[in-house]
Amino acid sequence: QVKVVESGGGLAQPGGSLRLSCAASGFILNDHHIGWFRQAPGKEREGVSCISRNGISISTLSSVKGRFTISRDNAKNMVYLQMSDLKPEDTAVYYCAARRGSSSATCTLIKGQYEFWGQGTQVAVSS
């Protein structure tokens, strides 16, 4: 059974940090590109950062570049999103998603390209 489960969300103060984790099961993680997406109330889901199956290709939303870092540990079937210098506008439900990809492909922040989705983890940034 394919499963993607996010964890690590919570409440943070502006300027604070959180690390989100994405645990994958039921499929071979290193055959898949992984993306982190977020959806704030009343807004569309947007791509935050993605990482290719081999970790070489990374794309990041411009508004979080320099603050958020995606990484993966295929041996542990885990992907992470380290978020630093958090801002109130980062408040959203964060989702992890997976899509099968070739070893030469780059990842994408287009949500429609992803096959498997987690249930999301809430991140709230407030003083």
Side-chain angles (χ1 to χ4, degrees), residues 4-72:
V4 177
V5 179
E6 306 92 340
S7 62
L11 177 64
Q13 292 192 333
S17 299
L18 285 173
R19 187 174 85 151
L20 304 185
S21 298
C22 173
S25 61
F27 63 96
I28 301 171
L29 184 67
N30 58 9
D31 284 347
H32 289 72
H33 305 314
I34 301 295
W36 282 99
F37 295 79
R38 68 184 181 186
Q39 188 165 17
K43 293 190 175 181
E44 286 217 10
R45 192 172 299 189
E46 65 176 353
V48 176
S49 191
C50 67
I51 186 166
S52 62
R53 53 182 272 184
N54 57 15
I56 293 176
S57 167
I58 290 176
S59 291
T60 303
L61 183 67
S62 57
S63 61
V64 306
K65 208 167 276 188
R67 300 189 297 119
F68 290 13
T69 303
I70 192 170
S71 61
R72 65 190 295 158

